[in-house]
Amino acid sequence: MLFQSNRSEYDTKLIKNSNASPTITQRPLIKLCAVTIALTLTLSTFSVAFAAEHIIQLTAEETLDDGFGNKLLAYKMLSHKVNGTDITSRYSPEATIPGPTIELTEGDTVKISIQNAIPGNNTPIPGISRQVSIHVHGVHYDILSDGTLKVINKNFDEGAGAGLEETYVIYEYHWNVAAGTAGTWPYHDHNFETHNGAEHKGLFGAIIVNKIGTPNFDKDYVIYLGDDAFWGMEIDGASRTQSKHGTNPTLAATKNSNVRFHLIALGTDIHTFKLDGYKWVDPGTNNLINQVAIGPLEKHVFSVIAKNSADYKDKNFSNNLLGMKGKFRVQ
């Protein structure tokens, strides 16, 4: 698969000045060009030196009952290798909601494949897709890695299992984690049963793309704001082990530790997230805030020093009535 990148071009114009010596005019320009080229080469070499190749295998499985007799679906990490080193032990050995959080750095490349362990997934049903897929936001990829059905991408049913037209046992996607893609981004199914997929049944997760040189945090918390509950998990800063998957999880922190929250809104509601007793810098500004409004597929990332235990909650009236609240426990 081909990936495209934008190349910056620098044009230097010499302005004629009859009162200036050609030697004086050209030297600063030559120096500027030399510095620019050297800096560009240094940054390029620095980025390449830190780039890693990720080989990832996920599967989708039936999991918990939703309480109404319907099976939820979940992603499970089968294998994750970074430059040949196996880091699969960081993830839960079970299928989880939310799915595995995949940590990347700008400059990385990813080959990620999906398998389908949902019963009956290889039996075509006219007009209904049994495929599961991985559609990602934020990073770069070509149309063959879009993770959608042919009715959308005009090429293939890009998932594992029986699609509307094609069936695959395994489907592989290629991602280019290019410069400028830093952030926290969702991934989710786009193919199961309809072209909207089964995100609402549990097939969603996140990628965290860090800039080169991003400092390590003592804990990372990935919190999804659904229409009736928080779904979340935490990542230990030292071991990178992922835990506490589920609804309205109790998040743990050591007193005075530096922790980072990643908020991603799912569903259709508008939310007002608040962490009682805390303020943080609104990204991209110098403003301190104590709550944030966040809508569908928007994201908000912030860090705080853990000083005291608190509740995190959705202050919007209907979501608050539904019990969208969790504990942030500091010890």
Side-chain angles (χ1 to χ4, degrees):
M1 299 179 182
L2 300 177
F3 298 102
Q4 296 180 344
S5 61
N6 295 323
R7 183 181 62 188
S8 297
E9 295 182 355
Y10 298 89
D11 295 325
T12 303
K13 294 182 179 179
L14 298 178
I15 300 175
K16 186 175 180 180
N17 185 339
S18 59
N19 296 321
S21 164
T23 304
I24 295 173
T25 305
Q26 290 174 12
R27 251 182 214 164
L29 290 170
I30 292 171
K31 254 175 120 176
L32 176 61
C33 289
V35 170
T36 301
I37 292 170
L39 180 60
T40 301
L41 289 173
T42 300
L43 291 175
S44 176
T45 303
F46 188 68
S47 178
V48 170
F50 280 85
E53 180 187 48
H54 296 254
I55 308 295
I56 301 171
Q57 297 175 4
L58 292 180
T59 186
E61 301 180 359
E62 284 188 343
T63 181
L64 307 172
D65 191 293
D66 66 357
F68 299 95
N70 304 305
K71 285 288 188 181
L72 297 177
L73 306 177
Y75 290 114
K76 181 172 77 174
M77 181 64 72
L78 297 179
S79 176
H80 186 175
K81 295 181 179 179
V82 183
N83 290 339
T85 300
D86 195 329
I87 62 169
T88 313
S89 61
R90 294 180 179 182
Y91 303 94
S92 170
E94 307 296 329
T96 60
I97 304 175
T101 298
I102 300 170
E103 296 184 272
L104 306 167
T105 301
E106 284 187 330
D108 291 354
T109 58
V110 180
K111 294 180 182 178
I112 181 167
S113 62
I114 183 68
Q115 300 179 30
N116 190 334
I118 300 169
N121 72 87
N122 289 318
T123 304
I125 302 174
I128 299 177
S129 171
R130 300 294 294 172
Q131 275 194 359
V132 290
S133 70
I134 304 170
H135 173 78
V136 70
H137 294 228
V139 296
H140 297 184
Y141 55 83
D142 71 11
I143 193 60
L144 299 182
S145 293
D146 191 46
T148 53
L149 293 168
K150 185 176 180 179
V151 67
I152 293 177
N153 63 56
K154 307 303 180 185
N155 285 279
F156 302 103
D157 293 333
E158 297 174 1
L164 296 178
E165 296 187 29
E166 292 134 358
T167 296
Y168 301 99
V169 175
I170 298 174
Y171 195 91
E172 183 178 274
Y173 311 91
H174 293 189
W175 300 344
N176 179 8
V177 190
T181 62
T184 302
W185 310 97
Y187 68 84
H188 56 91
D189 171 64
H190 227 302
N191 289 12
F192 190 76
E193 294 185 341
T194 74
H195 66 272
N196 290 321
E199 174 187 300
H200 66 294
K201 291 189 175 184
L203 287 179
F204 62 87
I207 63 173
I208 297 174
V209 179
N210 291 307
K211 291 180 178 291
I212 294 173
T214 295
N216 195 36
F217 292 85
D218 296 297
K219 285 282 183 73
D220 279 280
Y221 312 108
V222 183
I223 306 294
Y224 306 81
L225 291 79
D227 288 345
D228 57 1
F230 290 108
W231 291 84
M233 53 85 67
E234 71 176 46
I235 305 173
D236 181 78
S239 67
R240 311 314 299 168
T241 301
Q242 302 186 9
S243 61
K244 300 186 184 295
H245 301 79
T247 56
N248 303 327
T250 296
L251 307 171
T254 302
K255 192 172 182 64
N256 295 321
S257 61
N258 190 13
V259 300
R260 182 168 59 162
F261 285 78
H262 307 256
L263 308 181
I264 301 175
L266 302 176
T268 58
D269 284 0
I270 302 295
H271 306 271
T272 301
F273 178 88
K274 183 174 177 63
L275 181 62
D276 287 342
Y278 284 87
K279 291 185 177 181
W280 59 90
V281 176
D282 190 11
T285 76
N286 294 318
N287 301 325
L288 282 176
I289 58 176
N290 63 2
Q291 63 183 37
V292 63
I294 181 170
L297 286 183
E298 290 183 337
K299 56 193 179 62
H300 183 81
V301 180
F302 67 93
S303 62
V304 295
I305 302 299
K307 293 292 186 181
N308 53 270
S309 296
D311 290 337
Y312 64 90
K313 63 182 70 171
D314 187 343
K315 286 185 59 182
N316 279 9
F317 181 74
S318 60
N319 302 103
N320 190 39
L321 285 179
L322 288 168
M324 287 188 65
K325 179 187 292 187
K327 297 289 186 183
F328 177 51
R329 186 166 293 161
V330 178
Q331 295 180 331

